[in-house]
Amino acid sequence: MKQVKNILAFIGLMAVVSTLIFAVQSNEVDDKPELQEVETTESDKNVADTYQISAIEIPEDLNFAGEAVPQEDPEIMERVDREFLVNTYWQSNALLLMKRANKYFPIIEPILKKNGIPDDFKYLAVAESGLQNVVSPAGATGFWQIMRATGKEYGLEVNSNVDERYHVEKATQVACDYLNKWKNRFGSWTLTAAAYNAGPAGVQKYMDIQQVDDYYDLLLGQETGRYVFRILAIKEILSHPEKYGFQLDQDDMYEKVPTFTVEIDTAVSNWADFAEQYEINYKILKRHNPWLREPHLNNASRKKYTIEIPNKGYYRVGNVGK
């Protein structure tokens, strides 16, 4: 009997212990915080929510200088598409080209028109230099990338003292003379543009070997093979920037600073001293006259030069002469 009592007591004890354990576990579960839904913030969104990358719809009437692009040819259209994609999605460069074009196209356009050159050739200058006075590894210089020998052949002064390939107006005139010459030879503005890049002899060589007389039928080197297509893309994007997602106001554009001119026919010992007379500094003088290549002008022949001087009030010049 005593043994039975002990067993019953043990069972009762175990029941009490089990009840206590269950109660503790229940409290632990109740104490755990509830999972709450986290609200998505602006910074958590995907880039795709605000920036879309898509294929480019190519216009159906592409032409260069009025000469139609054979858009029914799939090989041609792949090359067109490449240049549209590269130049549309290289946004920083495209924006800079638009800003510079606003400043320099008004200088270039009337010279092209006066010489009977189609307006589309202003985009050739964009393709050549980005409308900057750059120098290529081969030595081609300025907006129109004119070689030293070509510049001299067409009447530009090119030496260590003065290099008129950096003179936008004079270099544009040389480009016009060159283009008209080779248009008369090739009979096509598109081939003339290709010849501007590769040289007339190079283009003629490929035409003779391949027995074709159309730019779009020629197999050319990488640079010249892309050249006209790049000009086509630049022309379209700069002509219709909003169509390709670019938003610019006139206030965003670069503007040409108003200037007046001064003629000299003597040597200039120091351009910094010359600039001081007009309350500007050497940097600003060179900005408006980049064809002056040294801090002085020899001018032993007493040639007449026209120097462009900015109107007062447009530049910060510091303490000139102090």
Side-chain angles (χ1 to χ4, degrees):
M1 187 71 179
K2 185 177 180 180
Q3 188 175 6
V4 172
K5 288 181 178 180
N6 289 339
I7 291 171
L8 290 173
F10 178 76
I11 292 171
L13 178 62
M14 291 301 296
V16 172
V17 170
S18 298
T19 301
L20 290 171
I21 292 172
F22 178 78
V24 171
Q25 289 177 336
S26 297
N27 288 336
E28 288 178 351
V29 172
D30 290 340
D31 289 341
K32 288 183 179 179
E34 293 183 3
L35 293 176
Q36 297 182 1
E37 187 175 334
V38 179
E39 198 172 308
T40 303
T41 64
E42 195 67 31
S43 60
D44 294 325
K45 291 182 179 179
N46 292 325
V47 172
D49 293 334
T50 55
Y51 180 66
Q52 300 295 319
I53 302 172
S54 61
I56 304 296
E57 184 177 347
I58 307 299
E60 296 180 357
D61 58 348
L62 288 181
N63 71 87
F64 176 73
E67 298 174 3
V69 178
Q71 292 180 248
E72 70 282 358
D73 186 322
E75 189 269 343
I76 295 296
M77 289 310 295
E78 283 190 23
R79 294 160 71 185
V80 168
D81 188 53
R82 173 184 180 176
E83 300 308 322
F84 269 76
L85 286 169
V86 168
N87 289 281
T88 298
Y89 287 115
W90 189 6
Q91 294 98 329
S92 59
N93 186 64
L95 284 168
L96 283 169
L97 296 181
M98 293 170 196
K99 288 169 175 277
R100 292 180 194 136
N102 187 74
K103 181 178 181 179
Y104 292 111
F105 276 1
I107 300 173
I108 293 171
E109 288 167 346
I111 301 174
L112 296 178
K113 184 176 181 180
K114 181 185 72 174
N115 287 276
I117 303 295
D119 191 65
D120 281 1
F121 275 89
K122 66 191 180 188
Y123 300 106
L124 182 147
V126 177
E128 283 286 340
S129 66
L131 299 178
Q132 297 181 98
N133 272 317
V134 294
V135 180
S136 78
T141 296
F143 277 34
W144 292 93
Q145 290 290 277
I146 299 171
M147 296 295 289
R148 184 184 185 90
T150 303
K152 288 187 170 184
E153 178 186 349
Y154 283 84
L156 294 182
E157 182 177 352
V158 182
N159 53 53
S160 60
N161 215 212
V162 168
D163 190 339
E164 291 180 329
R165 292 177 295 171
Y166 291 95
H167 194 297
V168 177
E169 290 90 344
K170 291 186 178 183
T172 302
Q173 182 59 54
V174 166
C176 289
D177 294 341
Y178 185 93
L179 292 167
N180 271 325
K181 175 181 178 180
W182 294 108
K183 169 60 164 61
N184 290 334
R185 166 66 181 81
F186 290 114
S188 157
W189 285 118
T190 308
L191 278 173
T192 301
Y196 195 95
N197 179 256
V203 170
Q204 187 62 58
K205 174 185 174 183
Y206 283 116
M207 291 171 64
D208 292 342
I209 292 172
Q210 298 173 32
Q211 300 179 26
V212 293
D213 59 2
D214 189 298
Y215 172 81
Y216 298 106
D217 291 326
L218 281 169
L219 178 62
L220 297 163
Q222 171 81 346
E223 182 180 342
T224 310
R226 293 181 61 183
Y227 190 67
V228 171
F229 297 97
R230 185 177 176 219
I231 295 171
L232 289 167
I234 291 171
K235 169 189 171 182
E236 173 67 14
I237 295 165
L238 267 62
S239 299
H240 308 287
E242 67 291 335
K243 181 178 174 181
Y244 299 94
F246 296 96
Q247 298 179 5
L248 293 92
D249 296 323
Q250 190 60 38
D251 289 346
D252 298 320
M253 299 299 192
Y254 299 152
E255 301 282 353
K256 187 179 187 302
V257 170
T259 61
F260 61 95
T261 58
V262 175
E263 290 189 343
I264 59 170
D265 60 0
T266 61
V268 176
S269 60
N270 189 312
W271 282 118
D273 291 339
F274 180 91
E276 185 181 344
Q277 299 174 43
Y278 298 97
E279 299 181 36
I280 57 174
N281 58 29
Y282 179 79
K283 179 186 77 171
I284 295 171
L285 180 72
K286 285 293 297 292
R287 179 179 177 86
H288 284 271
N289 303 275
W291 51 275
L292 299 172
R293 304 310 297 166
E294 293 183 307
H296 59 273
L297 179 67
N298 295 330
N299 202 12
S301 63
R302 301 296 298 269
K303 180 179 177 179
K304 183 180 290 185
Y305 293 95
T306 301
I307 309 299
E308 190 175 277
I309 306 292
N311 291 356
K312 292 182 180 180
Y314 282 88
Y315 291 106
R316 174 199 173 279
V317 295
N319 297 320
V320 177
K322 295 182 180 180

